[in-house]
Structure formats: C-alpha cells, structure tokens
Amino acid sequence: MEIREQLENIIDEAIAAARADGTLVMDEAPAAALERPRDEANGDWASTVAMRSAKLAKKSPRDVAQAIVDHIPTNEVIASVEIAGPGFINIRLSDAVLQGVVREVRAEAEDFGRGTVPEGERKINLEYVSANPTGPFHVGHGRWAALGDAMARVMEHAGYDVYEEFYINDHGTQMDVFGNSVAVRYMQLLGHDVEMPEQCYGGSYVADIAQGIIDREGRKYEDMTDEERMSAFREIAYQEMLDLQHRVMSRMGTTFDRWFSERSLYVEDETGESPVSRSLKAMEDKGYVKEEDGAIWFRSSALGDEKDRVMIKANGEMTYFMSDVAYHYDKKMRGFDHLINIWGADHHGYVKRCECMLEAWGWPGALEIVLGQLVNLYRDGEAVRMSKRTGEMVTLEELIDEVGVDATRYLMLSRSSDQPIDFDIEAAKKKDSSNPVYYVQYAHARICSILRKAADPADAAAAEAGEITMGELAARIIPEDCDLSPLTHESELALMRKMADFGNLVALAARDRAPFRLTHYAQDLAALFHQFYTNCHVLVDDAAVQTARLALVDATRIVLALTLSLLGVSAPEKM
C-alpha cells in the first residue's frame, strides 16, 4: 500500500472515531484526499477535509481539524501533525516510513510503482502515427511515435491492457497519385519528355525510388501503358515506403502490435461481406444511414455533428471517412472496449463525426481523441525549414541521425501534447546540464560509477564489461536487510520523498494520458540526487552510514532507470 493511501486510511479512521464518540456529528464524511503542500515547510502531505466537513459538522474548520487530529490512531507512519491556516491538516512522515521506500524500491526493482486498474477496466486500442505510405516521416510523426509509445508504456505499468496499432492509409486516390508520380520520374530519367501532373508527390525521394527501379530492373516498364506503369510503381513505391516506415519506427524504439492495412477493410470474406459492408449495415440497422442525390450519407447531424457526412459518393467511390467508419467498427468487433487515437491538431474538425459514428452504433464515449500540437525545429535559435541535404523538409530519420534516439524521444515528450514543442537541434546535442536528457542520464551513470567504486575490483570489472548487471553488483555490496536508520539528512529524506511519489505519478500520468510528467519527474529526481551527492559523501569510513547511503543510491538508480524506460529512453551506465 502506498504511503499516501496509508495516510488517507489513517485520517479516515480518525474521522470515523470522532463521529463514533459524538465529537463530530455529521451524516456523511468527505474523503481525506491528501495533496502535496506547495511549501515543503508545511510538511509532506496536507488534507483539506476539515474545511470540506465544516458545514456538515456545524463547526469551524479548525475545530473539525482538531477533532480529527485528536482521534488519529497510534501509528508508525506519521511523525507529526499540525493544524495550519483556516484548517489545513499538515502531516510530516516519520523517517522510518521514508526509509522503507528504499527497501521497497530495491525489492520490487522494475516492478516498483506497478499498478492495477479497477476490475472490469476497459481493453484499450491505442492507434498512433498512422502516416500515409507516400513519403518519409517528418519530425511531427516523431512526436506522435514518442507520445504513443510512452503512453502505452506508462499505461501498461499502471495496469492497463493496451494494444498498439499503426493504421496504414494504403487505399484510395493518394496511392494512385504516388504511383503515377514515381512513373513520371521513371520516364523522365529514361529521357522521355513527360511533365509531372499538377497533382503529384514532388519530393526528391520520388526520383530516388524511380532511379532505384532503373538500377534494379532497367527499362522493363518503359513500354507499358501509363495505367499499367502507375499500377506497378504504386505497389513498388508503397512497399519501399512501408519498409522505410518500419525501419524508422524500429530506430525510434517504437513497436506496434499490428500494422493495420486500410486495404484489408475492402476485402470480402467467403460470405461476400467486408468490414466496410458490415460497418455500413450496422449503422443502417441503427437508422443513421440515408441515400440522397445518389450518395450514401451518415446522418451524423442527428447526433450533434454540424452536418451529415458522405460515405459513398454518387459515382460509387468510397470516401476517406468510409474507411474510418469501417476501421473503427472493426476495432470494436475485435473486442476493444475503448479506442484512443493520437492525431495532429489539424484534425480537430474531424473529431466530432468520428465520435458520432461510435455513438450511432451504441458506444457513446468509446472513442477518445488525443490532439497534439506540432514540432517547431530550430538550430541555435534559428528556425529550420528545410533539410541541408535535400533542400526539402527535415525528415525524422535525419533528426535521429543528428541528435540520436534518446534526445529525440525525451525532448518530444518534454511538454504536454496540447502544447507545441520548440526542438533546438544544437541544444539537443549538448553534453552538459543544459540538456535535460543528458542531465538525467548523467545522474544514472554517476550512480553506477559510485557502485563500481564501492565494489570488489573484480565485480566492478565484471559490471563494466557487462558480465553482471548493476542490480547484481549492488546486491553483492548492499545487504537486502541492511540498516537504513542512518538516512536522516534532509538531502536523503528529499530523495526518498520523491521516490515515494513514483507510483502515484505513474497512475495519474496513465489516467491523464500525460507521459510528459515523467520527464519533469526524472529531472527533479536527478537534481535531488546531485544535491545529495554534494551534501552527503557516500563512500565514508563509517560502514553503517556507507551501506545505508549505497542502498539509497541504488534505489535512486532503479527509479531513474525505470522512469527513463517508461519514456523509451536508455539509462547508460557510463558517460
């Protein structure tokens, strides 16, 4: 049980005891609901329950607070309690409880802070990135990759059942345009006087694909009709882009349980039905489909949308929205109860119609859209618009090549998704405390150095060579049941308080879809460790003090590494 939960139970017991003996007369009692005081001088935790109970008890908030404090049962968790201001109940934890956090972290290791969601919590499908396979990823896609992957990691650590999915937009006219763009470049490279059509993909990567086809297969496609050549190159170029997307996502450390092809929505089974036809029939059965001017419409205005939406045009062509209808219905048919989509902020106008389609089937609230702002790229404070290499947009792969995966992910996660990110390439490459990812990783590396110095030289060498893990090294030098009572310095207590917050932080970050909070936590924990390292020498003559501080150092290592892992960032042992 977390410290906060223990404290809330103690306060609730005190309120119940005060009601039982008549000190507080009220029909119901608000929950203790503890929170961190803004000023650490006011204690470790505070409750406003007395102020929320005053009217119910027909007493002043301070009198209610005094009644609660007087009924707090004997316990080993609370060191002191005081009533402040209009009726705040401020609580200071005992050193022993904070020291117990060190023991808990070292015992649970990577499972520290792991939560369980309420029974019956929904099975979640998390869809993100989902870029068209018609060009390389831009840096904005990198933000969605980092956000979605970290969100899944955090939610899974909090106990949620999360399935990650990439939706491949590989159906429709954009694929034909892409294939035709490559075909025209192919013919131009072979010396034909062919102009690029107005509707085309004009990036240099299109010419690179065409040149690759020439290098591999020569003039094989030269004598085909335009339609045949477009069809052939559409599939070749599509596969090249899809392979590139897989490769870049792998480099980002982002994995998906499924790459879902839009094309599969139009494939009929042995009964002659497809996901498209099944989703349309299900919507029609609910009374939300109409035919007008030869087209098939979703009557979304009946559910609060500003207007009805076309699903099938009068000429029989399926709209992009029809694919979305089929895809979301298919997700539900696969057993997912709650759907989360991460989209760019430019899709905000698309949200309502998608919410309406889930409501039309009888699943209101089943779709959650996380809208994210874009990334502004800078170099030494100057905006970067184009790639130096190609003169076009800077791709995600180029950014990874220049600053590395860790810096890319960490900085993409450094702010809430509803805020734009200003990503300075040169700042991300700095090897000093001004770079937050370097600052946090350096704290972890420094801890590993301390543990190696404290170990037997042979064990230290084995750890440095990767023959044993840092956890195994720490276990050899720090007894599991070592005495932690020497940990009483304020720098030590501050570290332990911060580690005690981890489980609650993960739970709230998962609930609020806010992994960015872990970047702030990692920086705070690293800062507290650096302060501790300055104020408290670890390798000292007093064996009991040294062992206790080594245990604290090891616990900090575990929590730092765990925090970074939930962000998808590495925790280096040497820097």
Side-chain angles (χ1 to χ4, degrees), residues 99-113 471 475 478-481 484 551 554-555 557-559:
Q99 292 156 6
V101 174
V102 173
R103 204 176 305 284
E104 182 182 355
V105 171
R106 297 191 68 231
E108 297 183 3
E110 66 271 11
D111 287 328
F112 179 67
I478 311 164
E480 188 177 335
D481 59 349
L484 300 174
D554 186 46
R557 173 191 66 82
I558 291 168
V559 178

Side-chain angles (χ1 to χ4, degrees), residues 378-380 388 402-403 424-430 435:
Y378 293 85
R379 191 182 296 277
D380 282 332
K388 288 182 179 179
E402 186 162 0
V403 308
D424 194 300
I425 294 171
E426 295 305 319
K429 291 155 60 176
K430 288 184 177 179
N435 182 348

Side-chain angles (χ1 to χ4, degrees), residues 109-112 157 502 557-566:
E110 66 271 11
D111 287 328
F112 179 67
H157 199 77
F502 181 76
R557 173 191 66 82
I558 291 168
V559 178
L560 268 179
L562 179 53
T563 304
L564 288 171
S565 75
L566 294 181

Side-chain angles (χ1 to χ4, degrees), residues 171-411:
H171 179 84
T173 57
Q174 85 275 5
M175 296 306 300
D176 291 343
V177 171
F178 185 38
N180 191 50
S181 301
V182 176
V184 171
R185 288 297 187 213
Y186 173 86
M187 296 299 283
Q188 289 176 343
L189 289 168
L190 291 180
H192 295 272
D193 185 16
V194 184
E195 287 190 11
M196 284 292 279
E198 184 175 338
Q199 189 177 16
C200 68
Y201 290 92
S204 61
Y205 68 92
V206 176
D208 291 341
I209 294 171
Q211 184 62 57
I213 295 171
I214 294 172
D215 293 343
R216 292 190 305 271
E217 303 185 70
R219 295 178 175 269
K220 174 180 175 181
Y221 303 93
E222 189 175 17
D223 294 331
M224 288 184 173
T225 66
D226 291 345
E227 180 66 24
E228 289 172 335
R229 192 181 306 111
M230 180 277 292
S231 297
F233 285 3
R234 179 186 60 204
E235 299 311 305
I236 293 170
Y238 162 51
Q239 193 58 54
E240 284 198 27
M241 281 297 105
L242 191 59
D243 289 345
L244 175 64
Q245 290 183 343
H246 276 273
R247 185 172 71 248
V248 176
M249 286 296 96
S250 179
R251 289 190 65 190
M252 274 288 285
T254 301
T255 58
F256 295 91
D257 294 295
R258 182 173 182 180
W259 291 66
F260 188 102
S261 169
E262 181 184 358
R263 292 179 177 184
S264 68
L265 298 170
Y266 294 84
V267 176
E268 295 181 351
D269 60 19
E270 62 277 2
T271 68
E273 288 192 320
S274 66
V276 166
S277 63
R278 281 192 289 270
S279 65
L280 190 60
K281 183 178 185 304
M283 190 173 282
E284 192 172 22
D285 289 345
K286 295 289 186 177
Y288 288 103
V289 174
K290 69 177 182 179
E291 186 173 349
E292 187 175 290
D293 299 327
I296 303 298
W297 299 70
F298 169 40
R299 294 179 53 248
S300 55
S301 62
L303 296 166
D305 195 8
E306 60 184 3
K307 61 181 180 180
D308 294 337
R309 306 293 177 176
V310 177
M311 294 186 290
I312 305 176
K313 298 178 182 178
N315 63 3
E317 181 184 343
M318 304 286 184
T319 64
Y320 186 80
F321 180 62
M322 183 70 251
S323 290
D324 267 340
V325 169
Y327 179 43
H328 286 81
Y329 186 76
D330 184 80
K331 287 182 183 180
K332 291 292 293 180
M333 291 299 98
R334 284 186 278 141
F336 297 105
D337 302 303
H338 192 61
L339 315 180
I340 303 176
N341 296 349
I342 299 178
W343 292 347
D346 55 331
H347 286 74
H348 71 277
Y350 208 73
V351 173
K352 185 62 180 177
R353 72 191 72 176
C354 290
E355 292 175 338
C356 287
M357 69 186 177
L358 270 295
E359 187 174 351
W361 290 311
W363 301 310
L367 177 63
E368 177 184 347
I369 306 294
V370 176
L371 290 177
Q373 297 296 323
L374 299 180
V375 179
N376 302 311
L377 210 56
Y378 293 85
R379 191 182 296 277
D380 282 332
E382 295 292 325
V384 176
R385 306 294 183 197
M386 300 294 179
S387 163
K388 288 182 179 179
R389 182 176 65 80
T390 65
E392 298 164 357
M393 72 168 191
V394 179
T395 67
L396 173 59
E397 191 165 32
E398 287 176 312
L399 184 64
I400 294 172
D401 287 340
E402 186 162 0
V403 308
V405 171
D406 284 344
T408 299
R409 285 188 67 115
Y410 193 98
L411 296 175

